[in-house]
Every structure is written in C-alpha cells, then in structure tokens.
Amino acid sequence: MGSAHEVPKVLGRLPSAVVTKYLSRGIQTGDETPPTATLLKSAVPKEETEARWRVGPVRELLVEAMERFEEKRAAADKWLAPRLHATLRMSRNEAADEQLWNHLAFVVAPDYVIWRHKSGGLVPSARFTGPHYTQAFSRLWWAAELFRNSDDYLPVEVACSVQDVLNTTMRLDVIDHRPTAQAIVRVLGNLIADGTPRLGDQINALSSAINAAGSTLVYDVLAPDAPIDDVATVDWIADSQDAAPVLWEILPDGPSDGRVPEDSIETLVPMFEQMLADAPKRKRSRHSSAEDIDAV
C-alpha cells in the first residue's frame, strides 16, 4: 500500500486549528484526502539539511507496516513504535510539539491514520490531532521513549502488545519514573508468559492501583533511578545525520543514556503484583477487549 497523495520532502509544524478546520467527515472515513497544497501554506517546514526530518524513511516504515500487518492492524504498534522512535530522533522537548505530529498525521501520512485507526466507519479526530497518548504517531514515539531501557527497545515491544498500556497507562504521571515504567512492563511480561486472560482489564486495574497508591507511596524514593546521560541523547540525535535506515527484522538501538537500576525494578515488581492481586478487575465486553494483545 503506497501513498495516494503528494507529500513534502521534510516534516514540518502544522497548527492544530488548521487540522480542525479541514478535518471533514469525508477525511475521517477515508473517502477524501486532506487538501495537502492548502495545508502546506499553513505549515512551517523543518530544516531540510537535517536528515532526521526527511519524510522518506518515515513513509517507508509506514508503508511496510501497512503491508506487514494488514490482517492484524493493532499488532503494527509494537513493531512500529521503536522503529519510529529510532527514525525520528528527537529530544523530549521537540517531541512535545503537537504541531509536528499534526503535520505527520494530516500531511505526510493520513493514509496510515485511516488504515490503523478507522473504527465504526471513521477515525476519531484525536488520532489526527490530540494528546500524546491518543494521537496516532505521538502515542507510538512516546511509548518507545517511556518504556525503553536505555538503548534497549525490547520492553517497548511488550508494552505496545497490549493496547491499554498506550490508552491508559501512558496517561499516568508516574510513568515518567523509569523504574515504575520498567516494573509495569515486567509485570505485564509475566502475565503474558502465564497466559493470563483479559490483559487489558489487568493492566487497567494495575494502572489504577499504581496511580492511587502514588498519592501515599513515593516511587522514586522506594526505587531510585540512576542519573540520565543527556549527552548520550544529544549524540544519538546527532548521529542521525549519517545513520542507516532502521532494519525491518532487527530492533534498532536507542540512545545509551543509562540503564534503569535492576534493584529498583525488582523492588517494585512484587509490590505491583500485590497491588494487582488486590485490585478489582472491571470486565469489559468482548468487543472492547478485542485488541488486548496481538497474540490473541
């Protein structure tokens, strides 16, 4: 599946008000395409000399994802998240710019947004322009950023295999604490290994319990993090100028900014498992749990 519209050579910034103005129902259903020429008049392009802003590698990733996961579209998330993160090498400040994600979703790859998120006949507007845990591409980039362990993206694959991690867990403030994020992934990995059913219900219950306990427990005191090497991230971003495209079959390497202390993860895992055991589980309908994990 290729692009059915012309795309610019580099990413840019597109105001949310412009997306809202032109986001018609026809675009949300996939029957129409966004007016690219008009949108580009309101967009501010990124620096063409910086390889990381070039559209080509991102389009190649998205086309591959659409072809590879046509039969199970939710499964594209765990494959795409680490590769999108390693292709769009940014600081957190840069990634917090919603106008960048607006441009990617509405100008560069509206076809992917429709392909991945069309449900009930149309795509919710928040998949084009919305919060970081909802917008089609920022949710994947931030999932990779929050759940990677230094340069290791394996925890990201685990996290993104259950939709409720992206839909619910990523909304928690405590997820910025790296040992907490890694402990959640470790608990989730154990649940998957044990064949636990209704993983979405489990992760929602765990997220609620962790969030509630966070008002009385201070996770960064119980499980301290190691200092983050910001220079390593700067170097990783700079290396994008000459980096080869990410591989389809092998996970890329993220920035080597320091591993999460294993002792801190091991402190939190049994605590979180106990919270989950004690937490009430809200059973949802079969339909609402249909995208829990790509293995079921």
Side-chain angles (χ1 to χ4, degrees):
M1 180 182 292
S3 173
H5 64 288
E6 293 296 323
V7 296
K9 292 182 179 180
V10 294
L11 288 169
R13 303 177 70 246
L14 184 68
S16 298
V18 175
V19 179
T20 301
K21 177 180 179 180
Y22 290 102
L23 184 57
S24 66
R25 184 174 181 85
I27 292 173
Q28 288 179 269
T29 61
D31 294 328
E32 301 172 3
T33 57
T36 305
T38 300
L39 295 172
L40 288 176
K41 294 177 182 178
S42 300
V44 178
K46 289 286 191 177
E47 180 54 58
E48 286 193 34
T49 58
E50 289 197 51
R52 63 191 177 126
W53 302 129
R54 293 172 189 163
V55 164
V58 177
R59 282 295 318 178
E60 289 176 7
L61 265 183
L62 301 180
V63 169
E64 175 66 19
M66 288 188 280
E67 292 176 350
R68 181 176 289 234
F69 297 100
E70 176 59 38
E71 300 304 316
K72 194 140 190 176
R73 299 183 181 191
D77 290 353
K78 77 172 188 178
W79 183 87
L80 184 56
R83 291 169 176 82
L84 181 67
H85 186 272
T87 300
L88 288 179
R89 299 190 183 191
M90 291 184 280
S91 67
R92 287 192 174 195
N93 283 340
E94 289 173 319
D97 181 6
E98 66 177 17
Q99 294 192 41
L100 173 71
W101 302 114
N102 293 342
H103 189 274
L104 178 54
F106 209 51
V107 176
V108 174
D111 53 337
Y112 186 87
V113 181
I114 296 293
W115 175 86
R116 171 64 184 88
H117 292 291
K118 186 175 180 180
S119 177
L122 78 166
V123 175
S125 60
R127 298 300 189 183
F128 287 101
T129 180
H132 74 278
Y133 48 80
T134 302
Q135 203 269 357
F137 298 112
S138 63
R139 68 197 281 269
L140 299 177
W141 193 97
W142 279 103
E145 175 66 14
L146 293 169
F147 291 106
R148 67 181 175 85
N149 190 354
S150 187
D151 60 348
D152 183 10
Y153 285 120
L154 277 173
V156 178
E157 289 193 317
V158 177
C160 291
S161 68
V162 176
Q163 288 298 300
D164 288 276
V165 173
L166 284 79
N167 297 337
T168 303
T169 311
M170 274 179 51
R171 301 183 185 213
L172 306 179
D173 290 338
V174 295
I175 209 65
D176 286 326
H177 180 237
R178 297 196 306 160
T180 294
Q182 291 305 309
I184 290 172
V185 171
R186 195 75 58 84
V187 172
L188 176 57
N190 292 340
L191 292 172
I192 294 172
D194 291 342
T196 305
R198 292 191 173 273
L199 289 167
D201 296 334
Q202 299 284 335
I203 203 68
N204 281 330
L206 177 61
S207 297
S208 296
I210 289 172
N211 197 47
S215 61
T216 54
L217 296 173
V218 183
Y219 297 120
D220 55 358
V221 173
L222 292 170
D225 197 359
I228 295 175
D229 183 358
D230 293 325
V231 174
T233 301
V234 172
D235 291 342
W236 179 74
I237 292 172
D239 288 344
S240 65
Q241 199 66 15
D242 302 308
V246 298
L247 300 177
W248 298 157
E249 307 301 337
I250 301 173
L251 278 176
D253 292 328
S256 299
D257 55 359
R259 293 286 176 124
V260 178
E262 186 64 24
D263 288 349
S264 292
I265 301 173
E266 292 179 355
T267 295
L268 293 177
V269 167
M271 184 184 305
F272 289 174
E273 288 179 335
Q274 188 58 52
M275 288 181 185
L276 179 59
D278 295 340
K281 313 298 190 301
R282 179 175 64 85
K283 290 189 176 181
R284 299 173 298 172
S285 68
R286 180 178 178 83
H287 174 75
S288 64
S289 298
E291 286 191 346
D292 271 356
I293 184 170
D294 58 5
V296 298

